[in-house]
Amino acid sequence: MDWISTGIAGAFGALATGIVFLVVRKPKERWGLYTIVFFTSCAVCYATMSFIIKPTTTREKPLNALEVSQAEKTEKFLNALEVSLAEIPAYKQISMYDAETYQRIKDEIRKSVIKGESQSQIIQRIRFIISELVEKYLPLSSDQALLDYMNVVILEIEELAHQSPELCYKFLFPKQYGTIDVTQYIKPETQQADLDALASVIRTGAEASEDIQDFPEYDAFIQNIIINLHETYGDDALLLENPHAPGIDKRKFCHIMVALYREILKLPKKESCLVLRSMLKAK
């Protein structure tokens, strides 16, 4: 018999009984309850220690037992993560309307967890896939979904540019400059608004039956907006023509990009959406 475990179990049982005594009082009327608590606590404590601390004579496990245990823990973690992911509206929409992309997201998460990558690295992997998904569905989404999403994008650009123009550029051009973990830099309420808007973009974009319609007046609308920006920002408005020019002032570019989007959103809803869709189509 393991007398050390027995002693610890007895002490634990006494402690549990003491706590019950302080709460219930009335020792004479409740002696049966105290007895049950004492022996039950002892048994639970002893069983728990027996499970966690195996006697040396029973530790004849295969050499890969640790790896098997770790693999089981990883699998349980991934299953729990998948359940949590499915509860997020945006990812639920992805699973419903784009099963291939959803599976790709899960595969990337699995690879990252197995490699032992950080949460930030995992988010960056997912963010890159999401950016591709946005390019696919945003031009096809409903007018309201498109406008809601662009309003969130403006907030995100502003929050990132306020901290660093490099962050802003990575957000706007992930393929050229790499992705970032936006959870580290963007306000929680903005992140939630992003996910909510993204869910609408995916749902309405996937359900759309028509292609992006041509908008012959696009050039004229953009030209008028650029003229307005030039009146406010002078020659700095020309930064929009070549965002990847060597030595470009990235902070100014991000600031003027926000101004451009705001000018577009000032247009009547129909024209605003047509301009945005034409811009997205041209990418």
Side-chain angles (χ1 to χ4, degrees), residues 117-131:
E117 293 182 340
S118 66
Q119 176 183 327
S120 178
Q121 290 173 304
I122 295 175
I123 291 175
Q124 287 181 45
R125 284 176 177 268
I126 297 175
R127 190 75 190 181
F128 186 78
I129 298 174
I130 294 298
S131 67

Side-chain angles (χ1 to χ4, degrees), residues 176-187:
Q176 292 88 341
Y177 300 95
T179 58
I180 58 171
D181 178 3
V182 294
T183 62
Q184 294 185 13
Y185 308 103
I186 294 178
K187 296 176 182 177

